[in-house]
């Protein structure tokens, strides 16, 4: 039955996959891809799971496909890096049941540590890629991707960007198709990638790409719109929509099936138009290929490779302007009032510790005025960078900090590495029983699964001991002795883990009692402002204000005030 639903790009893609008979979905939360798995977890007939990281998600989804069921892997762009090992080889093995990979890229770094353009993953891995420019297209392409996957025995990538993933649109949806599982057959030549088998599979993969290119030539998602021939634009994704808005009368070649390139279609289109432009967000993925075909085109200045496109920027590109970078004037992100990460960073700052950090809300500890976090590279790197910094700068100066979800994702292997290589140093696990930054998803240390049902709970203390930490201790993140405990463990000639535990304020809203603020005692020394809590600030008259409504009573500000103007409630 047809119906109209208001869906985001993530939800529309998930809906299309569901209707295509999807039975297994695996992901690790990461903006802007998180909502795909969250949407799929609502269906009883989809086995949807949060995995501990993107590699395990990819492998379980591939395994489900090998078993014969339609499956999907989804993650943000940097998550695909974690899954690259199985991804590259799955291009050789091919699939059983249809298998779709979703990469949700983040131009403009709304919530990411880099701005990589994962269209290149398609070329690098030799896998076909769709790229929708709207939720409706994401819905249609999800269905087409499963069919293509089974027709060509290949994983198929769908690339979203934040703008498409989070935009909402009315989408005409339908009913679920009940698909038969593909029969599983033992086939070592297909699934066992020893060199002899893999070599043959590589030859087959190159031949498959030629066939996929022919598909691209015919694909309904590669559309030539011939209008005014004085200006032709080749574009993909949201770049197509922006260009169409600015130049409605131009001719367009909209690439929705972006890899392998539909060379003949591109050549024909280039011949039709007088001046050819390629409009694309981020890197010159299409531009370089079109040039490689010997076609002359007008390219954008390299300054437009950074950040998101807009209609205004598209106009500037065509006018041949260089992009003028404007300083961001967005409000500074800040930890929630009463966030348990704040007390840890406040203690680390007072100890003048050199802190290797990780990916999560606690990355905000790097910003002024806390400035208590000094490196952030990728998931899990806090542990291994702590290992090296401790070796060369002294373990009594260095601390690593990592969240519970990130520790399970890829911190455990780092801790094993540190123990195996006899490192000394202190790792603090900021355990707020939550994957907070992406919207409070559960993880193995919370004891709840993606469908909200109880499951086995990973005990962090036990896993840290088993990984080889010499000393493992647990403390309430707001314990008065926190700073002394950190100092004590930093001085040990050992590999130590301190689990600083307190629930995230997003899941634990029960208030402790707010401190008492006596404004007459306040000398406006500013010490309490250094902890960067939104519930305490300087007002227009330059006086300190304590917002008892926002305050959750963590008392970190009270411990900072030497003048008893802020006093912990008794
Ligand atoms: S969401 Fe939770 S972990 Fe993140 S800043 Fe807020 S309280 Fe802290
Ligand atoms: S630390 Fe105490 S005295 Fe200093 S500004 Fe804050 S409330 Fe006032
Ligand atoms: S007690 Fe102080 S630091 Fe804690 S939430 Fe309230 S105002 Fe913020």
């Amino acid at each position: 039955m047809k119906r109209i639903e208001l869906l985001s790009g993530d939800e529309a893609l998930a809906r299309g996959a569901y209707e295509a008979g999807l039975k297994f979905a695996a992901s690790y939360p990461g903006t802007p891809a998180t909502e795909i798995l969250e949407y799929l977890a609502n269906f009883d007939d989809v086995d949807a799971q949060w995995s501990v990281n993107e590699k395990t998600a990819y492998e379980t989804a591939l395994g489900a496909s090998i078993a014969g069921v339609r499956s999907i892997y989804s993650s943000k762009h940097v998550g695909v890096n974690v899954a690259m090992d199985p991804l590259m080889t799955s291009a050789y093995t091919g699939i059983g049941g249809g298998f779709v990979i979703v990469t949700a890229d983040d131009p403009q770094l709304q919530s990411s540590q880099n701005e990589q353009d994962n269209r290149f993953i398609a070329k690098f891995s030799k896998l076909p890629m769709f790229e929708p420019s709207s939720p409706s297209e994401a819905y249609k392409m999800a269905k087409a991707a499963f069919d293509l996957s089974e027709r060509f025995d290949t994983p198929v990538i769908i690339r979203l960007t934040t703008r498409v993933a989070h935009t909402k649109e009315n989408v005409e949806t339908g009913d679920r198709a009940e698909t038969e599982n593909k029969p599983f057959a033992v086939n070592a030549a297909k699934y066992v990638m020893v060199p002899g088998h893999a070599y043959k599979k590589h030859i087959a993969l190159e031949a498959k790409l030629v066939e996929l290119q022919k598909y691209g030539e015919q694909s309904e998602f590669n559309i030539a719109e011939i209008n005014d021939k004085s200006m032709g634009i080749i574009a993909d994704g949201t770049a197509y929509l922006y260009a169409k808005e600015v130049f409605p009368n131009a001719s367009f070649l909209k690439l929705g099936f972006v890899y392998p390139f539909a060379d003949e279609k591109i050549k024909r289109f280039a011949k039709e138009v007088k001046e050819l432009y390629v409009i694309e967000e981020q890197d010159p993925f299409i531009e370089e290929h079109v040039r490689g075909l010997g076609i002359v085109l007008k390219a954008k200045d390299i300054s437009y490779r950074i950040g998101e496109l807009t209609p205004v920027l598209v106009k500037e590109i065509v006018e041949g302007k260089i992009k003028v970078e404007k300083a961001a004037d967005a409000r500074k992100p800040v930890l929630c009032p009463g966030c348990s990460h704040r007390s840890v960073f406040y203690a680390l700052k007072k100890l003048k510790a050199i802190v290797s950090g990780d990916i999560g809300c606690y990355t905000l500890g790097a910003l002024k005025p806390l400035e208590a976090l000094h490196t952030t590279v990728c998931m899990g790197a806090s542990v291994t960078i702590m290992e090296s910094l401790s070796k060369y700068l002294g373990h009594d100066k260095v601390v690593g900090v990592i969240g519970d979800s990130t520790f399970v994702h890829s911190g455990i292997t780092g801790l094993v590495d540190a123990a195996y290589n006899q490192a000394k140093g202190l790792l603090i696990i900021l355990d707020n029983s939550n994957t907070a930054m992406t919207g409070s998803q559960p993880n193995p240390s919370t004891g709840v699964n993606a469908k909200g049902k109880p499951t086995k709970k990973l005990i962090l203390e036990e896993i840290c001991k088993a990984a080889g930490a010499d000393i493992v201790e647990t403390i309430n993140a707001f314990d008065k002795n926190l700073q002394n405990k950190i100092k004590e463990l930093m001085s040990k000639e050992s590999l130590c883990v301190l689990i600083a535990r307190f629930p995230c304020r997003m899941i634990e809203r029960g208030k402790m009692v707010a401190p008492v603020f006596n404004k007459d005692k306040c000398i406006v020394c500013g010490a309490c402002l250094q902890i960067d809590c939104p519930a305490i600030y300087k007002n227009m008259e330059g006086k300190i204000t304590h917002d008892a409504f926002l305050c959750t009573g963590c008392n970190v500000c009270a411990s900072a005030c030497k003048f008893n103007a802020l006093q912990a409630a008794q």
Side-chain angles (χ1 to χ4, degrees):
M1 192 182 73
K2 298 276 179 210
R3 62 187 98 63
I4 302 293
E5 293 184 69
L6 182 64
L7 298 174
S8 69
D10 276 347
E11 292 166 340
L13 191 155
R15 179 75 209 181
Y18 174 73
E19 290 181 19
L22 177 81
K23 292 196 177 121
F24 182 86
S27 181
Y28 181 82
T31 306
T34 310
E35 293 85 353
I36 296 171
L37 198 286
E38 285 182 331
Y39 185 89
L40 291 170
N42 294 320
F43 296 108
D44 290 339
D45 37 8
V46 176
D47 185 2
Q49 65 180 44
W50 289 124
S51 300
V52 300
N53 64 38
E54 293 83 356
K55 182 171 183 286
T56 62
Y58 193 95
E59 289 160 350
T60 49
L62 177 64
S65 162
I66 290 171
V69 308
R70 288 193 162 187
S71 67
I72 195 166
Y73 157 89
S74 56
S75 76
K76 66 184 294 172
H77 60 312
V78 287
V80 176
N81 301 343
V82 181
M84 276 305 281
D85 205 357
L87 188 152
M88 292 300 289
T89 304
S90 66
Y92 284 38
T93 62
I95 53 97
F99 180 36
V100 170
I101 303 161
V102 183
T103 171
D105 292 11
D106 189 16
Q108 201 73 39
L109 301 104
Q110 312 281 355
S111 177
S112 305
Q113 65 268 42
N114 74 32
E115 215 178 1
Q116 73 191 45
D117 185 336
N118 276 5
R119 289 177 301 173
F120 288 95
I121 299 282
K123 190 171 181 184
F124 184 43
S125 62
K126 303 176 191 288
L127 290 175
M129 176 178 272
F130 287 101
E131 187 178 9
S133 47
S134 67
S136 294
E137 274 196 345
Y139 168 80
K140 286 185 199 140
M141 286 178 181
K143 291 185 160 189
F146 279 101
D147 291 340
L148 188 76
S149 172
E150 289 178 0
R151 182 169 150 200
F152 285 91
D153 183 20
T154 179
V156 174
I157 306 175
I158 302 179
R159 178 192 187 235
L160 297 178
T161 54
T162 308
R163 199 56 55 186
V164 179
H166 288 170
T167 296
K168 290 213 169 191
E169 185 185 19
N170 278 333
V171 180
E172 186 177 306
T173 61
D175 295 327
R176 176 173 170 82
E178 285 309 329
T179 50
E180 288 290 316
N181 292 352
K182 298 276 169 195
F184 172 74
V186 170
N187 186 348
K190 177 168 168 58
Y191 293 125
V192 181
M193 284 304 97
V194 291
H197 293 168
Y199 191 80
K200 289 182 194 146
K201 293 295 264 179
H202 189 184
I203 294 168
L205 177 57
E206 295 298 339
K208 202 182 289 183
L209 274 177
V210 173
E211 294 306 309
L212 281 163
Q213 188 165 39
K214 289 180 193 160
Y215 169 88
E217 301 289 357
Q218 307 300 326
S219 172
E220 59 177 311
F221 298 111
N222 290 335
I223 310 157
E225 301 167 16
I226 305 299
N227 300 310
D228 178 356
K229 292 188 178 181
S230 63
M231 180 188 214
I233 298 174
I234 303 177
D236 64 344
T238 50
Y240 163 76
L241 296 178
Y242 299 145
K244 186 90 179 153
E245 185 177 327
V246 182
F247 302 105
N249 300 322
S251 293
F252 283 89
L253 177 59
K254 179 190 183 304
L255 296 181
F257 183 75
V258 289
Y259 192 80
F261 287 100
D263 288 353
E264 295 309 317
K265 231 173 199 174
I266 291 170
K267 285 182 198 162
R268 273 201 306 278
F269 181 75
K271 272 195 194 136
E272 288 262 359
V273 296
K274 193 162 164 226
E275 282 197 326
L276 181 66
Y277 294 83
V278 171
I279 301 293
E280 58 189 326
E281 202 163 64
Q282 297 191 281
D283 294 332
F285 179 71
I286 300 172
E287 179 194 319
E288 283 176 359
H289 186 82
V290 173
R291 282 188 197 284
L293 294 174
I295 295 169
V296 176
L297 57 84
K298 303 241 175 188
K300 64 180 182 180
D301 184 85
I302 57 168
S303 58
Y304 293 92
R305 291 180 191 175
I306 302 160
E308 274 191 305
L309 279 184
T310 62
V312 173
L313 294 181
V314 167
K315 190 160 177 287
E316 287 178 5
I317 289 168
V318 170
E319 287 167 356
K321 289 186 180 159
I322 293 172
K323 184 161 100 179
V324 181
E325 284 292 342
K326 297 179 192 76
D329 52 4
R331 188 177 68 86
K332 180 176 86 77
V334 67
L335 295 167
C336 301
C339 175
S340 57
H341 301 334
R342 184 176 282 108
S343 55
V344 176
F345 283 127
Y346 186 59
L348 289 170
K349 186 172 187 181
K350 287 213 278 189
L351 290 167
K352 297 190 169 49
I354 300 161
V355 181
S356 60
D358 226 295
I359 310 290
C361 289
Y362 47 92
T363 312
L364 300 175
L367 304 179
K368 284 180 191 295
L370 283 168
E371 294 178 296
L373 189 149
H374 308 112
T375 69
T376 300
V377 180
C378 65
M379 298 285 280
S382 60
V383 194
T384 31
I385 287 184
M386 180 274 288
E387 180 184 338
S388 298
L389 291 180
S390 293
K391 190 189 279 184
Y392 294 109
L393 304 179
H395 67 269
D396 57 338
K397 298 185 179 61
V398 173
V399 174
V401 294
I402 187 166
D404 49 318
S405 185
T406 313
F407 179 70
V408 177
H409 177 284
S410 50
I412 295 171
T413 46
L415 189 60
V416 172
D417 191 291
Y420 175 64
N421 291 303
Q422 298 178 297
K424 294 170 191 156
L426 172 60
L427 176 70
I428 302 178
I429 300 179
L430 304 166
D431 179 11
N432 59 10
S433 309
N434 195 7
T435 311
M437 194 167 71
T438 47
S440 297
Q441 290 77 27
N443 69 64
S445 74
T446 63
V448 180
N449 70 15
K451 290 181 180 266
K453 306 249 167 63
T455 184
K456 285 184 184 170
K457 181 174 161 77
L458 188 75
I459 308 300
L460 293 177
E461 286 82 348
E462 288 178 9
I463 199 95
C464 291
K465 281 183 203 149
D470 302 309
I471 299 171
V472 179
E473 294 197 25
T474 304
I475 194 167
N476 181 316
F478 294 118
D479 192 298
K480 288 197 181 82
N481 276 325
L482 177 70
Q483 189 178 326
N484 288 339
K485 177 54 72 181
I486 295 172
K487 192 174 175 192
E488 177 199 323
L489 294 179
M490 284 172 80
S491 67
K492 300 264 187 212
E493 296 287 325
S494 313
L495 179 60
C496 305
V497 175
L498 180 64
I499 300 170
R501 184 168 281 147
F502 199 89
C504 167
R505 293 294 178 184
M506 292 294 112
I507 53 173
E508 177 62 75
R509 290 171 194 272
K511 285 191 170 190
M512 296 186 287
V513 185
V516 177
F517 178 51
N518 185 337
K519 60 178 188 283
D520 296 334
K521 288 188 181 171
C522 177
I523 63 156
V524 198
C525 69
C528 56
L529 300 177
Q530 294 305 306
I531 61 169
D532 203 23
C533 175
I536 194 148
Y537 55 91
K538 218 181 238 186
N539 65 19
M540 303 285 271
E541 287 88 47
K543 302 278 189 207
I544 297 296
T545 300
H546 173 251
D547 185 333
F549 180 73
L550 283 179
C551 174
T552 59
C554 73
N555 285 309
V556 177
C557 60
S559 72
C561 180
K562 294 201 178 77
F563 302 94
N564 288 328
L566 280 160
Q567 279 184 297
Q570 297 305 310

